[in-house]
Amino acid sequence: MPLMFWLALSFAGPVVAVEGDSICPLPQVVAARLGELLPGATLASEPDVALLDDQGASVRIQVRRADGTPIGERVLERTFPCPDLAGAAAVIIATFESDVHPEFRLALATPPRAPAPPPVVATAPAPASPRTSTAAYEIGAALTGSLAPSSDSAGAAAGALLVGGWTPAGRRIGGRLSLQASTARTLDLGTGNGTVQWRRFVAGLGPQWRWASASRDVFFDLHADALGAVVLASGGNFMNDQDANGLDVGGGLGARLMLPGRLFAPWVDLSAYGWLRRQVAYESPSGASVSLPRIEGILALGLSFCACP
């Protein structure tokens, strides 16, 4: 039969019988805690009954009057130590009793006030020193393919390109220097078999605008170039072939995509050149002539040694 405990409280104790087969918490421990929570209760000839029913992983608390009329019921899960469960069960029983017995004064124990913690002096970490930016520079070379279209030819030629660049620290705009040479192109002079072979050796200088991705693993450059060139031309298949040299000036625009690495950076560049002077090759004494193309398009595939912070 279930183990029963009766708690007959004196002047300041409630008259509630705590019984049951619970071993965690024990009924007598709950009864002792209950006496601390209802100090204003008075002795009763027929006490109410609080039953602690052990259900394995939980304990069911049933509170009823002496005649069996239920007052309240609650289930506590055994997820806390037994002393904590005893305190919780006492609070539940005391709450039920104070609801049906207004004369009982519920005095839940309040924990002692913890002393104020000592003042803590907060120190803000020293601001991190800004990363010192350094200038970016590169030296690179590329193979080129170019077109210089005329009325009777696309003017295709292969070539080589050398580039050097420098961008000041913390800036997007820097400078660019380039040197380019290409193989000879051929134009028909319109006199039978006579042709003109020509080429330009080009130097360029101008600004370069650079944009970097957020991770700085891709660079996109735009460059504008002031161009100067030495033009070499020679006749072919004539009775008396002659050579002629000249100078030319012009301008160029280009865009480049670069993939910077730790040491070397591959890139691809697409540019267009325009020349200001009209360069003419002619035959004497017939006077047949042909103008050298004044517009060129250049595609370059290159690799640079790049210090690109």
Side-chain angles (χ1 to χ4, degrees), residues 279-309:
Q279 303 282 349
V280 179
Y282 62 92
E283 181 195 22
S284 179
S286 69
S289 63
V290 64
S291 296
L292 303 188
R294 298 171 65 181
I295 296 176
E296 297 180 42
I298 303 98
L299 177 64
L301 299 177
L303 184 67
S304 290
F305 171 79
C306 181
C308 303

Side-chain angles (χ1 to χ4, degrees), residues 32-98:
R33 299 291 294 271
L34 186 61
E36 301 172 359
L37 298 177
L38 295 177
T42 57
L43 186 64
S45 58
E46 294 185 351
D48 294 338
V49 178
L51 176 63
L52 306 182
D53 184 13
D54 194 329
Q55 296 187 331
S58 61
V59 57
R60 182 172 64 178
I61 304 171
Q62 294 177 305
V63 181
R64 61 175 182 263
R65 294 184 184 274
D67 60 4
T69 302
I71 296 176
E73 179 177 332
R74 180 77 177 272
V75 175
L76 282 178
E77 299 293 334
R78 285 196 173 105
T79 55
F80 296 95
C82 294
D84 293 343
L85 291 175
V91 171
I92 292 171
I93 296 171
T95 302
F96 287 153
E97 287 294 316
S98 63

Side-chain angles (χ1 to χ4, degrees), residues 186-209:
T186 301
L187 286 175
D188 186 2
L189 197 57
T191 58
N193 295 328
T195 60
V196 176
Q197 293 184 343
W198 65 276
R199 67 176 69 187
R200 287 187 177 100
F201 292 96
V202 182
L205 178 65
Q208 177 174 269
W209 292 263

Side-chain angles (χ1 to χ4, degrees), residues 172-177 205-210 222-226 252 254:
R172 286 186 175 180
I173 300 178
R176 181 178 189 267
L177 173 67
L205 178 65
Q208 177 174 269
W209 292 263
R210 170 162 293 175
L222 291 178
H223 56 88
D225 305 284

Side-chain angles (χ1 to χ4, degrees), residues 7-171:
L7 177 64
L9 302 178
S10 59
F11 304 103
V15 183
V16 180
V18 183
E19 62 179 71
D21 58 355
S22 172
I23 59 173
C24 180
L26 291 170
Q28 65 266 37
V29 177
V30 176
R33 299 291 294 271
L34 186 61
E36 301 172 359
L37 298 177
L38 295 177
T42 57
L43 186 64
S45 58
E46 294 185 351
D48 294 338
V49 178
L51 176 63
L52 306 182
D53 184 13
D54 194 329
Q55 296 187 331
S58 61
V59 57
R60 182 172 64 178
I61 304 171
Q62 294 177 305
V63 181
R64 61 175 182 263
R65 294 184 184 274
D67 60 4
T69 302
I71 296 176
E73 179 177 332
R74 180 77 177 272
V75 175
L76 282 178
E77 299 293 334
R78 285 196 173 105
T79 55
F80 296 95
C82 294
D84 293 343
L85 291 175
V91 171
I92 292 171
I93 296 171
T95 302
F96 287 153
E97 287 294 316
S98 63
D99 290 342
V100 297
H101 296 289
E103 68 275 13
F104 290 176
R105 179 170 59 88
L106 180 61
L108 298 178
T110 57
R113 184 176 181 181
V120 177
V121 179
T123 58
S129 58
R131 187 179 68 175
T132 303
S133 58
T134 58
Y137 63 89
E138 68 164 300
I139 300 174
L143 297 177
T144 65
S146 60
L147 296 177
S150 62
S151 59
D152 63 349
S153 173
L161 173 68
L162 297 177
V163 296
W166 178 77
T167 303
R171 301 292 183 88

